Each structure stands twice: as structure tokens, then as C-alpha cells.
Amino acid sequence: MKYFFFTIFAAVFLFFSCKTTSSLVESTNSSAGEEFFAHEQKNYFIAEIDLSSPEIEIKTYPKAKGFSKPISVKKFAEQNNCFAAINTNPFITSSKLNPFFSKRKPVGLYVDNFSQFSEPQEKYAALAFFKEEIGYSAKIFDSQSEIQGKIPAFAVGGFWTILRGEKIYSFKDIKDFRSAAGISEDGKKLYLFCGKNLSYEETAKILKEKNVFCAMQLDGGPSSQLYYNGKNRQKSTKKQLPSVILGFSHKPNNKIDE
């Protein structure tokens, strides 16, 4: 009987220990052997993507200017075989009476495959991707008006830069669901972030601890959505369909059988 109660106690302890575990590391391997990592805590999730991989493909939605019918990040990712996807730009809706389901028009810069679908907003930051000989490199601009000269292959907007180097930018201490994007100093690694009950500064501190060099806030609140490796990672109960979605997939195997 003594051993019976000990076994029950051990099983219950193990169950609750597993339920309260605060960290998780996942990896997704491409056919080229490149790895894409994810870090999960109780109130946030970070996906780390190697942009220099020869297998990486960037995909976005929508493919039009002006107002477009919105879809969820999860649906976009599944339709385009993306292992990661996130909401980006803030937006305006075509109807104030039905804001959750009406068409959306992005606010701020949006570039898809060298075609600009939305005008830059000087007060907001931008995440731009430049095509390299192999893969891509990324850069975060504090102002969307700073992108001049070389046109990026892809670019999305959001709100403000929250981290650059050792500097964490100051904002009002407002906690909400958050979406963010960060890059390494060389622009070869991208970090996609979602979290809950966090301020801008808290988001920046978390990313800095993960060795992110520069980061910007994307549209948060009920718009915050992050899909990674087959799952929705943002735990919000109230979801609002986004205006622009940024996704990543692996290039198909183009080998021809002899």
C-alpha cells in the first residue's frame, strides 16, 4: 500500500511538473540540412529563421493594392506550405460597422516581389528583405521613408523600432498581445516573436536576451498571430484577421529523375 501511494504521488507530481514547464526548443530541418529553431516560454514564442539558407522562400499576402479580403495567418500558411508566418502592418477597414470581417487596407510600406503595393509612412519602421546570391538579408529601418535607392525584394511595415544594439527604446508601459520581428547584426537571421501581457519594452528585453540585434513592433492586440511548424503560437482568444501576412517556406525539390 505504501508503494501504491508513492506511485500515485510521483505520477501527479510528474504531471504538474510537465504542465508548468516554461521552455521548449523545436527545430525544423529543410532538405538542405538547414535548421530553423523556436524558443517557447509561458508567455511568449520566438522562431529563428536562417535567411541565408538556399532553401528559403518568402511569401506574402495580399497580391494587390488597396482593400483586400483578409485571411487568417494559419490559413495563409497552410495554403502556401509555410513553416512560419506572421501578421505585420496595421490597417484600416472598409466598414466600421463590421471591422472584424470587412476588407483591409494596409497602413505603411508593403512590397511583394519588388512591387510596391502600399505607400511608406515616415513615422513607422519597416522590415526589408534584399535578395542575395544565396538566400536573403534583412534590415530594419527606423522610418519607412529611409528605404531609398536599392528596392527590396520584400518589405513590410509595423509600428516602431524597439531595440537596436544595446539600446532599448522607451514607450508607455501598456501590456497587450504582441507581435514583433527582429534580426541579427549581419541581417542573416530573422526572429519572429509573439507574446501576451507584454509591453513594448518587455518585448525588446526578451529579444535582446536572445541576442537579437534590432527589432520592431508589428501590429499587436487581437491582430497578433504567429504560425510556426503547424501550430498557432499566439494564445489569444480573440483574433482579428490581418491586412498583410509575411510567410516563409522551403523551395520545392527541383531535381529531375534521370
Side-chain angles (χ1 to χ4, degrees):
M1 182 63 70
K2 184 194 303 183
Y3 293 110
F4 173 77
F5 283 113
F6 176 79
T7 302
I8 295 297
F9 173 79
V12 171
F13 177 79
L14 181 60
F15 173 79
F16 283 102
S17 296
C18 292
K19 293 293 282 185
T20 56
T21 297
S22 61
S23 64
L24 169 70
V25 178
E26 299 181 4
S27 67
T28 300
N29 297 320
S30 76
S31 59
E34 300 294 336
E35 291 188 333
F36 303 87
F37 292 99
H39 311 274
E40 185 176 57
Q41 299 291 326
K42 286 191 293 185
N43 66 328
Y44 70 84
F45 183 92
I46 304 174
E48 178 184 320
I49 300 171
D50 182 6
L51 295 174
S52 66
S53 167
E55 296 294 303
I56 201 74
E57 274 195 322
I58 299 176
K59 297 182 178 181
T60 60
Y61 181 88
K63 303 290 186 183
K65 294 182 179 180
F67 288 94
S68 300
K69 181 180 179 181
I71 61 173
S72 71
V73 170
K74 182 176 184 292
K75 184 176 181 180
F76 166 81
E78 291 174 344
Q79 289 178 345
N80 291 274
N81 198 29
C82 293
F83 65 86
I86 194 169
N87 69 294
T88 59
N89 296 50
F91 56 86
I92 58 176
T93 60
S94 59
S95 171
K96 293 182 179 180
L97 298 177
N98 190 11
F100 275 79
F101 298 100
S102 61
K103 291 184 177 181
R104 277 107 168 84
K105 180 180 180 180
V107 173
L109 186 66
Y110 169 43
V111 177
D112 171 78
N113 199 24
F114 298 100
S115 295
Q116 183 174 308
F117 289 151
S118 185
E119 296 297 319
Q121 290 280 326
E122 183 177 2
K123 63 180 179 179
Y124 293 146
L127 171 63
F129 298 91
F130 297 93
K131 193 75 179 73
E132 303 294 345
E133 187 175 343
I134 299 176
Y136 293 87
S137 64
K139 185 174 181 180
I140 290 177
F141 294 86
D142 292 339
S143 171
Q144 295 175 7
S145 62
E146 293 177 3
I147 302 180
Q148 299 175 352
K150 185 180 178 182
I151 300 174
F154 298 88
V156 294
F159 288 112
W160 303 278
T161 302
I162 57 173
L163 168 68
R164 187 174 292 279
E166 294 297 316
K167 182 179 180 180
I168 293 176
Y169 292 76
S170 296
F171 296 91
K172 291 182 179 179
D173 186 20
I174 301 174
K175 300 184 188 299
D176 206 338
F177 291 98
R178 299 296 177 195
S179 290
I183 58 173
S184 58
E185 189 168 5
D186 63 2
K188 298 296 186 180
K189 288 186 178 180
L190 176 71
Y191 302 86
L192 302 181
F193 176 96
C194 72
K196 62 180 180 179
N197 196 30
L198 294 170
S199 67
Y200 283 173
E201 286 190 51
E202 288 170 332
T203 299
K205 287 177 182 177
I206 292 170
L207 290 168
K208 187 173 183 294
E209 289 172 358
K210 300 298 182 183
N211 297 318
V212 175
F213 174 74
C214 184
M216 62 177 283
Q217 279 291 337
L218 305 175
D219 195 13
S223 298
S224 177
Q225 297 177 48
L226 173 58
Y227 176 95
Y228 182 82
N229 207 13
K231 298 179 183 178
N232 271 322
R233 303 298 178 156
Q234 181 59 283
K235 307 303 181 183
S236 61
T237 57
K238 186 178 182 182
K239 289 184 173 63
Q240 183 164 252
L241 298 177
S243 63
V244 177
I245 302 172
L246 173 67
F248 299 87
S249 65
H250 302 305
K251 291 180 180 178
N253 190 338
N254 293 320
K255 290 183 179 180
I256 300 174
D257 294 331
E258 295 181 356

